[in-house]
Amino acid sequence: KKPADAKPASAANVLSPLPITFTRDFQAGTKDVRGQFMGGTETMRLAAHDGKLFAGIGHWTDQPGSDPNPGAQILVKRGRDAAWELDRSFPGALRVNCMEPVTFTTDGAGKKLAQPAALLLADAGLNEAHTRGGTLSVWVRDDTQQTWVESRVTDRSKRAYIRAFGQQRDTVTGVNHVFAGTGAGEVYAGVHDPQ
């Protein structure tokens, strides 16, 4: 029991066990070292992958003006002291809905891969075509080529954008699966194809 005269601790006199100091590291509306415009009105997702930090950017509330509107973008920071750079633009897309690093240790048949395949997955959608439905795609970063490759999921999604990725290893078959949950409540399962 608390003593009758005990007072609740106030936020002012409780010290955080892990104090963190933040400084701004990126400002939308700037150009990268190659002169490419990096815009956006919201940062949707940050993900660490391949020793780099990636940011999924959207421009949901962008107001028309003199700045270019490159669509949703993925930015990359290659090291602690490196400046942010444009990694990929998705013209016509409003935002990067989700982005997730995943690691596969098996192929779709459950055969162990010689080396684990660490991939970064992203979805860039939410334009009029995506909300009406149609082609649903996952974008996969090819770290060797430093580009993004489209992986088609289906041509008949009710709402063609992905809201979440998840990964699971089947305890019976041993197969690594990745799951993509859509804005229409659908979930699609995928496996790694080394070819």
Side-chain angles (χ1 to χ4, degrees):
K1 274 184 148 182
K2 286 194 214 174
D5 60 347
K7 296 181 181 174
S10 71
N13 64 14
V14 175
L15 294 177
S16 169
L18 299 171
I20 301 172
T21 301
F22 289 92
T23 57
R24 184 168 54 203
D25 198 58
F26 167 73
Q27 177 63 54
T30 58
K31 292 185 178 182
D32 70 9
V33 294
R34 296 180 308 236
Q36 299 178 104
F37 181 77
M38 300 180 295
T41 59
E42 54 186 348
T43 303
M44 300 301 299
R45 180 74 167 96
L46 296 169
H49 170 73
D50 192 37
K52 303 169 188 69
L53 183 63
F54 293 83
I57 305 294
H59 62 92
W60 185 258
T61 57
D62 191 37
Q63 299 297 312
S66 60
D67 63 321
N69 183 339
Q73 294 182 310
I74 295 176
L75 309 180
V76 61
K77 185 175 177 71
R78 300 179 190 282
R80 187 187 74 180
D81 297 323
W84 286 94
E85 299 174 45
L86 178 64
D87 203 52
R88 176 69 157 87
S89 285
F90 299 91
L94 292 179
R95 66 185 186 205
V96 174
N97 293 301
C98 59
M99 185 168 54
E100 192 71 29
V102 297
T103 301
F104 290 93
T105 58
T106 72
D107 65 12
K111 182 180 175 187
K112 188 171 180 173
L113 301 175
Q115 292 287 335
L119 305 173
L120 182 60
L121 310 181
D123 169 76
L126 272 188
N127 62 26
E128 189 178 337
H130 287 93
T131 55
R132 283 196 317 264
T135 301
L136 180 70
S137 294
V138 171
W139 291 87
V140 183
R141 190 166 196 275
D142 180 336
D143 296 318
T144 304
Q145 300 295 318
Q146 296 192 31
T147 189
W148 290 82
V149 179
E150 184 179 16
S151 181
R152 186 77 52 96
V153 177
T154 181
D155 289 327
R156 293 191 286 276
S157 176
K158 293 178 186 174
R159 288 189 172 213
Y161 58 92
I162 297 169
R163 289 301 235 169
F165 290 113
Q167 191 171 18
Q168 180 256 354
R169 182 181 172 97
D170 189 296
T171 57
V172 175
T173 65
V175 175
N176 283 139
H177 291 94
V178 65
F179 294 89
T182 74
E186 304 163 316
V187 177
Y188 291 89
V191 292
H192 179 60
D193 179 357
Q195 304 305 314

